[in-house]
Amino acid sequence: MGSSSSNMDHIPDAQHLMQETGFSAAHLVRLYERFDFLDKDDRGELRLDDFEAVSELAMNPIGDRIIRAFFSPGRETVDFPSFVRILAHFRPTDTNRTRNGRNGAQPEPANSRTNKLKFAFQLYDQDRDGKISREELLQVLRAMLEMQVTEEQLQSIAERAIQEADLDLDDTISFDEFKKSLEKVDIEHKMSIRFLE
Amino acid sequence: LLPASSFLCLGISITVWFTLLFVFIIMPAVLGVSFGIRSFYMRTLLKIFEWATLRMELGAKEKNQELYKPYTNGIIAKEPPSSLQQEIQELRGSANSLRSEPEFEMADIFYFCRRGVESIVDDEVTKRFSAQELKSWNLLTRSNYNFRHISLRLTVLWGLGILIRYGVLLPLRVTLAVTGICLLLVLTTLVAFLPNAELRSYLSEKVHLMCYRICVRALTAIITYHNRENKPKNGGICVANHTTPIDVIILANDGCYSLVGQVHGGLMGMVQRAMVKSSSHIWFERSEVKDRHLVAKRLGDHVADKTKQPILVFPEGTCINNTSVMMFKKGSFEIGCTVYPVAIKYDPRFGDAFWNSSKFGMVSYLLRMMSSWAIVCSVWYLPPMNREEGEDAVQFANRVKAAIAAQGGLVDLIWDGGLKRAKVKDVFKEEQQKLYSKVLVGDSEDQMEDKRSEDGTPEGDESSKDPAEGQ
């Protein structure tokens, strides 16, 4: 690390990425450093084992789900733009969006409340069918609790959670129901990471 | 006529060279005195480095660009660590739950999610296994991150630096190192022939110290020892943080220790066998290393014999990059004798001493060390510690580790240095799961237990690694 000069030249399509994600040039440079650091074999992309080398992540009960969130469906590597796009979800929400003064529909920024919720939703909804089934919920619970509770306890916890959130009584939790059940939660703060200048 | 005179010149310069070497370096090493040449050298170098960095900054300003500055404070602002319990309560607090039965909330996942992504962006462990980054440039290619801002003057200086380091310093140092090792081999063998045991140990001490002093000069190591009144005594174990195999030379330069390690082949093996002839060191065969009882017994026996020198041990088991102290293996702390902690902190401006064994083999590492400007470090001898009543080996080890980290200004980590190569054990994940389950089904009593299991360390359990010196 450190034998090549780190600057914007190394970053593909930097301007575009900055606009899309809202990261500043300085942030991108540092994230590129980190990406480069994680990329142990200098492949230019990250693979599963590069993520798995992060010890603190291996200790996280849902670590493997978080890792999988970086990989687009069907792909086995993560390039730098994809890496940054996922991380963009965790930027603190801008309260005043005066990015380009254009009127009309702009794509919602990655770090909007809705998009943060979508990211969390997908951690539950692994088959990406837009609904969290009872089984998917159980899988998450199992990951977070494993040996600490019995199977019956798991089932009853899942049962209660679904009953609480499932408003249209179809035995699954849709994204809107998910959103509704979390409307009082301070997501902007809890799903944000402060990137230093 | 011409060839003859050039041979004469060559002959004279070699003689002059060796005389200077002898007078200014080897004699002081043998006698244990110093001319102060090295500290003068150090001060001069520092002035030059500051000048170099200034020029780079000027150069960058002219081009209106940013100078790359390594972010020693990290990429993200980590919130002050609060417990899993607290974080999840906060998450839920906004969603109001005054139920008698704490339950699972869909929002709980945010806690784990954020922690996970934070660790992808910046984690405490992986960065300890590569060399520290420097704030100002020290004219070594290997630590230059701002190539584009080098002016002509700087390039000339850098070129000069290369000439000096590889043309003058390196040959000088290699000569010294070879001299030192040869003297060690020869003299220890000679001393071993002496019949009188007392004379033998006295001379052996002198010989070892002398040879280490030569080796220290071979690396141009500038060492400052603090609190020498706490130096380890016979019948104890000296523990220190591990950054490089050179740690041994740094410490042995100031005192005699019994080393612990695996038997090697080749040159190392020869040196090991020679050393054993005149003083007792503890070398283990590869197979014996796994047998923890055997290791403990041999260490214990050595320590019980008050005539034997203190044992030098590096409980981390592997080289760490000198910004932190990682988990101490409990083996040496189970023996029940006095522990003398020592903190070693290297100044990376003159040459980074960290041995990144995945990147460099031993020989290329030594070459890098000998072509750096200098190895500058501080050694603090801490007051001796003993295991207290009701304290187990692991807690004792952590107490010692904390003391060493505090003195050396290093970060105290619970993580196992073995993570350099191995994956995290599942027991860590289980700890997290346990904590979370308490939030779901726990009550106030369990909250106390939570506090304890979070302060205490999720232990990497029985590792078959003994407290032997890391590679």
Side-chain angles (χ1 to χ4, degrees):
Chain A
M1 191 177 174
S3 59
S4 56
S5 55
S6 298
N7 52 47
M8 302 294 281
D9 296 352
H10 285 254
I11 302 173
D13 221 10
Q15 283 299 336
H16 190 214
L17 264 180
M18 275 164 61
Q19 258 193 355
E20 200 186 321
T21 59
F23 282 122
S24 69
H27 288 156
L28 275 189
V29 169
R30 287 176 188 183
L31 286 174
Y32 188 76
E33 279 286 317
R34 179 67 179 172
F35 180 82
D36 202 32
F37 179 74
L38 289 173
D39 178 14
K40 294 272 184 286
D41 299 331
D42 277 329
R43 282 182 279 230
E45 350 178 78
L46 298 178
R47 302 174 88 98
L48 210 57
D49 49 3
D50 290 320
F51 284 100
E52 286 170 352
V54 179
S55 322
E56 285 169 23
L57 196 55
M59 157 175 135
N60 193 313
I62 53 167
D64 47 354
R65 281 168 189 258
I66 297 174
I67 296 177
R68 258 179 274 144
F70 281 82
F71 293 81
S72 315
R75 299 213 48 190
E76 289 188 0
T77 56
V78 180
D79 60 8
F80 182 64
S82 315
F83 183 66
V84 175
R85 281 190 198 113
I86 301 282
L87 290 177
H89 289 286
F90 290 84
R91 279 186 55 238
T93 323
D94 312 314
T95 38
N96 310 324
R97 290 269 313 161
T98 49
R99 195 140 274 263
N100 357 3
R102 286 194 321 220
N103 288 334
Q106 291 172 33
E108 219 172 311
N111 61 338
S112 69
R113 188 191 163 87
T114 310
N115 280 329
K116 287 182 198 280
L117 277 168
K118 273 210 189 116
F119 186 84
F121 187 78
Q122 275 179 352
L123 288 176
Y124 283 102
D125 178 25
Q126 290 282 293
D127 63 7
R128 312 219 179 188
D129 63 355
K131 300 201 232 275
I132 304 178
S133 66
R134 184 182 298 262
E135 186 52 42
E136 284 172 330
L137 189 57
L138 270 171
Q139 277 169 11
V140 173
L141 285 169
R142 258 186 223 117
M144 297 213 278
L145 292 165
E146 207 151 346
M147 315 273 228
Q148 309 302 324
V149 295
T150 65
E151 187 61 30
E152 287 106 41
Q153 281 174 307
L154 269 182
Q155 294 280 355
S156 71
I157 294 176
E159 184 61 45
R160 278 200 297 270
I162 292 203
Q163 272 175 8
E164 289 244 335
D166 183 18
L167 301 169
D168 63 5
L169 299 173
D170 64 349
D171 216 32
T172 63
I173 304 177
S174 69
F175 180 62
D176 289 319
E177 289 166 344
F178 184 68
K179 214 159 109 171
K180 188 117 188 28
S181 77
L182 293 172
E183 59 189 357
K184 297 219 188 79
V185 177
D186 180 14
I187 295 182
E188 285 85 343
H189 191 215
K190 292 298 172 184
M191 276 279 273
S192 292
I193 300 178
R194 254 196 316 137
F195 291 90
L196 292 171
E197 284 310 313
Chain B
L1 200 64
L2 219 47
S5 67
S6 57
F7 271 128
L8 197 62
C9 279
L10 196 64
I12 292 183
S13 47
I14 291 186
T15 318
V16 170
W17 176 245
F18 271 103
T19 317
L20 282 174
L21 196 79
F22 190 70
V23 169
F24 282 108
I25 302 186
I26 299 200
M27 272 324 291
V30 169
L31 298 173
V33 298
S34 166
F35 278 123
I37 303 180
R38 279 175 290 159
S39 34
F40 170 72
Y41 171 64
M42 200 169 99
R43 287 195 301 270
T44 319
L45 276 180
L46 272 177
K47 292 216 180 70
I48 299 182
F49 296 161
E50 275 163 26
W51 181 83
T53 309
L54 213 61
R55 290 228 59 88
M56 286 212 289
E57 280 170 0
L58 283 176
K61 238 184 248 170
E62 277 165 28
K63 298 187 193 157
N64 242 336
Q65 278 171 350
E66 280 293 313
L67 204 65
Y68 170 72
K69 288 241 156 85
Y71 42 94
T72 38
N73 292 329
I75 315 180
I76 52 185
K78 293 240 171 96
E79 312 279 301
S82 50
S83 68
L84 185 149
Q85 181 108 10
Q86 247 177 303
E87 290 268 346
I88 299 216
Q89 306 283 26
E90 271 175 36
L91 258 176
R92 295 168 172 198
S94 42
N96 135 80
S97 38
L98 274 169
R99 277 176 272 232
S100 52
E101 267 183 59
E103 306 219 327
F104 167 71
E105 300 269 344
M106 301 289 284
D108 291 347
I109 206 174
F110 290 159
Y111 169 74
F112 293 108
C113 178
R114 191 179 85 178
R115 289 285 297 270
V117 177
E118 270 180 358
S119 54
I120 289 181
V121 178
D122 186 9
D123 80 302
E124 280 302 322
V125 180
T126 47
K127 64 188 179 195
R128 310 291 173 190
F129 299 136
S130 65
Q132 211 181 353
E133 292 192 351
L134 292 173
K135 291 200 182 76
S136 61
W137 189 38
N138 59 356
L139 297 182
L140 296 175
T141 318
R142 57 190 85 139
S143 51
N144 188 350
Y145 325 115
N146 288 300
F147 272 134
R148 324 164 86 220
H149 301 299
I150 302 181
S151 60
L152 182 64
R153 263 187 261 190
L154 217 49
T155 314
V156 167
L157 194 64
W158 172 72
L160 203 62
I162 292 213
L163 270 174
I164 297 181
R165 284 186 296 119
Y166 284 93
V168 176
L169 294 178
L170 185 58
L172 173 64
R173 288 170 181 164
V174 171
T175 318
L176 280 173
V178 168
T179 315
I181 296 186
C182 287
L183 273 179
L184 184 70
L185 287 174
V186 166
L187 289 176
T188 45
T189 317
L190 284 179
V191 167
F193 283 127
L194 291 174
N196 185 342
E198 241 184 70
L199 188 63
R200 209 171 44 221
S201 64
Y202 175 74
L203 277 182
S204 145
E205 224 184 87
K206 294 294 171 215
V207 163
H208 272 99
L209 278 175
M210 181 186 86
C211 296
Y212 281 118
R213 276 198 291 263
I214 298 184
C215 287
V216 158
R217 280 160 173 78
L219 290 166
T220 316
I222 305 172
I223 313 171
T224 317
Y225 296 99
H226 302 265
N227 306 334
R228 295 175 79 195
E229 65 273 10
N230 291 326
K231 247 165 74 169
K233 304 191 174 47
N234 287 3
I237 292 191
C238 172
V239 306
N241 57 314
H242 200 31
T243 307
T244 151
I246 294 178
D247 287 338
V248 174
I249 302 181
I250 305 274
L251 288 179
N253 179 47
D254 193 41
C256 287
Y257 299 95
S258 290
L259 304 177
V260 180
Q262 257 186 39
V263 169
H264 285 95
L267 180 64
M268 270 306 296
M270 266 171 67
V271 174
Q272 282 178 327
R273 283 192 293 276
M275 287 168 77
V276 162
K277 287 196 188 120
S278 52
S279 64
S280 57
H281 298 279
I282 307 177
W283 306 125
F284 287 102
E285 297 291 334
R286 217 178 197 121
S287 50
E288 294 173 322
V289 168
K290 302 266 194 261
D291 184 345
R292 293 184 54 205
H293 291 296
L294 178 64
V295 170
K297 180 156 195 324
R298 280 184 72 177
L299 292 178
D301 288 344
H302 184 109
V303 160
D305 183 348
K306 297 295 179 208
T307 63
K308 294 205 173 142
Q309 295 148 347
I311 306 180
L312 179 58
V313 162
F314 297 101
E316 281 165 312
T318 185
C319 294
I320 311 292
N321 76 350
N322 208 233
T323 57
S324 65
V325 183
M326 291 195 148
M327 187 181 94
F328 276 4
K329 305 219 185 314
K330 60 184 176 186
S332 6
F333 300 92
E334 287 174 325
I335 299 179
C337 59
T338 313
V339 166
Y340 296 88
V342 174
I344 309 177
K345 180 82 179 106
Y346 290 88
D347 185 341
R349 291 176 295 180
F350 298 91
D352 197 303
F354 168 59
W355 182 31
N356 191 342
S357 51
S358 55
K359 257 179 136 181
F360 307 108
M362 181 56 117
V363 177
S364 51
Y365 169 71
L366 283 175
L367 273 174
R368 277 170 72 98
M369 283 304 100
M370 292 199 189
S371 61
S372 309
W373 294 110
I375 311 276
V376 178
C377 62
S378 290
V379 175
W380 286 273
Y381 294 106
L382 297 167
M385 292 178 152
N386 279 295
R387 192 159 76 169
E388 285 168 6
E389 284 290 319
E391 199 180 33
D392 70 5
V394 170
Q395 290 164 328
F396 181 38
N398 287 330
R399 197 158 57 88
V400 173
K401 175 158 68 84
I404 293 183
Q407 180 66 82
L410 306 163
V411 176
D412 186 0
L413 294 179
I414 57 163
W415 295 93
D416 184 348
L419 290 172
K420 205 195 249 182
R421 280 175 217 96
K423 291 225 177 124
V424 161
K425 297 198 170 81
D426 286 332
V427 70
F428 286 76
K429 200 194 274 197
E430 274 176 39
E431 276 292 323
Q432 290 285 299
Q433 289 164 337
K434 222 180 271 182
L435 287 172
Y436 180 60
S437 74
K438 294 241 171 67
V439 174
L440 292 198
V441 301
D443 59 62
S444 56
E445 252 162 58
D446 289 325
Q447 278 181 22
M448 289 271 281
E449 242 194 323
D450 267 357
K451 247 321 33 243
R452 251 197 302 123
S453 61
E454 277 193 287
D455 293 343
T457 53
E459 274 316 314
D461 57 31
E462 345 291 79
S463 56
S464 54
K465 270 201 186 161
D466 70 321
E469 200 178 32
Q471 70 282 80

